[in-house]
Amino acid sequence: MSQTVREITSEAGSTPISIPRQYGRELLPAPVPAPAPADPQPVLAGPELDVRPFPRRARSRWTIGVDAVLALVLGVTAAAVGALPMTAALVGAAAWPLLLLAAGHYRHGTLGGTRAAHVGVVLMTGVRAGVLALALSPWLPSTDLTTLGALVAILSVASTVPALVVVRRPRPRLVLAGRPRDVREAMAELITTNTHEVVAACLTRSPKVPLGDLATYVGFADAAEVASRHDADAVVVLPGARLPHVEVRRLHWSLAGVGAELYLGTGLLDVEPQRTRVVSTAGIDVLHVTDPVLDGPRRLLKDLVERIVALVALVVAAPLLAALCIAIRRESPGPALFRQERIGRDGVPFTMLKLRSMGVDAETAREALTEVNEHDGVLFKIRADPRITPLGARLRRYSLDELPQLWNVVRGDMSLVGPRPALPCEVARYDVDPRRRLVVKPGVTGLWQVSGRSDLSWAESVRLDLKYVENWSLGLDLRILARTVRAVLGHRGAY
């Protein structure tokens, strides 16, 4: 499709101004003609570029056809069996893909798009469709609302199938814009998730250390051209790029003309989108970040529910605990339960219970093993710890040694889900960021456990715990509990 440009002549009648539109694939002309720079933008690394723009990839148009056919078949079937009038069935079949289109279900996602998000869009569209049908019920006297509601529910479930069965989606292609150090750090983060592909970078200056085989450019003036030539889905402007707001606006226009999106980095670390909103004040658009939920009714509900669940689980697990205590006493002398002081909410110490998985002289022997510590930071971990007994190794492998911590939850010292419970000697070495973990109760499980436990570095462990503290919700707790089952069965980091 050719670029649509409208020419406007100024009152002086001399210079035509090209106004870019948001359609087409050809590169946009400059909004105001300017003399060409003496030297072109240098290519610092990467292959020689083709001057022709790449064709855009398919935008999953086949899903629209699938949903339309599915809605038509179900609607006609409902009409054929006499459950719905044919007119209502056909109108519903035609409206369903249009509602999904309006909700953005068919939009090609770039950053932040997940299968769960696609499923959520479909299900919420189904809810809105049900509400719409209820509102129109006075004008549909011959229509059975129960049948119409069932049809909407079936369509909602069926339309989630493509999002769930597609094994692999194309990774969004990104151009990063910012300082060399920021681009390097962003690339490292994106590599760990393996959900995006960085195809080029626009830098504020020449990098002292090359960015590998990545095609890199100095300056942001031709960012849209770079995005087009590399078939990028989006340009991500990182914090520190220091782009004036006028240049950001012009960059947005030019990217819209080549079919790419613009994302602006906020500099926030591990803040979930639901805690943010854009507000305007005095002509300035700013991002408002809400405070984390540290107290209030939802925290009280969490505490109450967790204590009840922990008490029930403790009663159910009592025979298993008794058997394990007997086995521990038979294997090695000493108590079956291991008591250790840990630091709880607001720095208050408490006694944490565990099934003993080491010899009774484990704390004394730790001093001699300090030099072979395999963990960084303030943690002490050894993969093949000689203090662990054979039975203790099996208990740790399946996290059975942590069952007595349910009593700590019942007492109110711990939560089912929360940050890792820290030792006093670890807290004594905390700097500012790790101390933030102490504003909530430690947990039997948490993001640290479902993400790798002992395999995590100290920095990763702290970051996961802070992410949990800052973005806590009841839904996040439920997701962590569900992932805990998989983490326990997978044994990752359990040593």
Side-chain angles (χ1 to χ4, degrees), residues 42-401:
V43 178
L44 301 176
E48 188 71 23
L49 298 179
D50 192 338
V51 296
R52 296 169 299 174
F54 284 74
R56 298 303 291 172
R57 288 172 288 164
R59 299 296 188 182
S60 301
R61 293 194 182 106
W62 65 274
T63 56
I64 302 178
V66 170
D67 289 332
V69 171
L70 181 65
L72 182 61
V73 170
L74 290 176
V76 171
T77 302
V81 299
L84 287 175
M86 181 60 73
T87 302
L90 293 179
V91 170
W96 177 246
L98 295 178
L99 290 174
L100 289 177
L101 180 64
H105 176 57
Y106 305 116
R107 188 182 306 143
H108 179 71
T110 50
L111 273 68
T114 61
R115 294 188 180 186
H118 284 285
V119 172
V121 169
V122 175
L123 296 181
M124 285 304 300
T125 302
V127 172
R128 295 188 183 97
V131 173
L132 179 62
L134 185 63
L136 296 176
S137 58
W139 292 274
L140 302 172
S142 60
T143 302
D144 185 0
L145 293 181
T146 303
T147 304
L148 187 59
L151 177 62
V152 171
I154 294 173
L155 285 172
S156 301
V157 174
S159 293
T160 62
V161 172
L164 295 175
V165 301
V166 174
V167 178
R168 185 170 181 174
R169 296 176 177 273
R171 293 189 301 170
R173 298 167 61 87
L174 306 179
V175 174
L176 301 181
R179 298 179 300 182
R181 182 185 63 183
D182 296 335
V183 170
R184 188 176 294 107
E185 293 176 354
M187 289 176 60
E189 290 285 344
L190 293 171
I191 288 174
T192 59
T193 61
N194 196 32
T195 54
H196 304 82
E197 181 182 1
V198 180
V199 295
C202 296
L203 308 176
T204 55
R205 58 175 176 80
S206 301
K208 297 179 180 179
V209 180
L211 301 178
D213 296 331
L214 184 68
T216 55
Y217 308 83
V218 172
F220 305 140
D222 297 326
E225 181 179 357
V226 171
S228 176
R229 290 176 176 176
H230 287 277
D231 192 26
D233 296 296
V235 171
V236 181
V237 179
L238 302 173
R242 297 182 178 178
L243 275 178
H245 64 275
V246 173
E247 293 187 23
V248 172
R249 181 171 60 185
R250 292 174 180 174
L251 176 59
H252 190 200
W253 291 343
S254 59
L255 288 174
V258 299
E261 298 180 358
L262 174 65
Y263 291 86
L264 301 177
T266 62
L268 297 174
L269 184 64
D270 296 326
V271 174
E272 294 295 326
Q274 59 266 23
R275 289 184 54 206
T276 64
R277 63 189 181 98
V278 177
V279 297
S280 293
T281 176
I284 301 176
D285 294 332
V286 293
L287 189 68
H288 174 240
V289 183
T290 60
D291 294 333
V293 182
L294 301 178
D295 297 291
R298 282 184 289 174
R299 280 287 180 179
L300 292 176
L301 178 63
K302 167 185 168 68
D303 186 63
L304 177 62
V305 172
E306 286 187 335
R307 291 194 185 198
I308 294 174
V309 171
L311 180 60
V312 172
L314 196 60
V315 172
V316 172
L320 175 61
L321 278 171
L324 292 175
C325 287
I326 294 173
I328 293 171
R329 293 292 301 272
R330 288 173 62 89
E331 183 188 49
S332 61
L337 288 178
F338 174 67
R339 293 171 171 84
Q340 190 177 50
E341 186 180 60
R342 298 291 179 111
I343 302 301
R345 183 176 183 180
D346 297 328
V348 178
F350 70 96
T351 300
M352 189 183 75
L353 301 178
K354 294 184 71 174
L355 290 177
R356 182 168 58 83
S357 58
M358 297 182 178
V360 291
D361 60 342
E363 292 299 304
T364 305
R366 173 176 172 171
E367 298 297 329
L369 299 173
T370 303
E371 295 183 357
V372 295
N373 182 20
E374 298 175 358
H375 215 290
D376 62 340
V378 302
L379 298 181
F380 178 84
K381 285 290 183 180
I382 303 175
R383 186 175 295 273
D385 197 325
R387 301 173 298 165
I388 299 177
T389 63
L391 176 59
R394 291 193 291 271
L395 293 177
R396 290 188 171 210
R397 183 174 177 81
Y398 293 97
S399 299
L400 294 175
D401 61 318

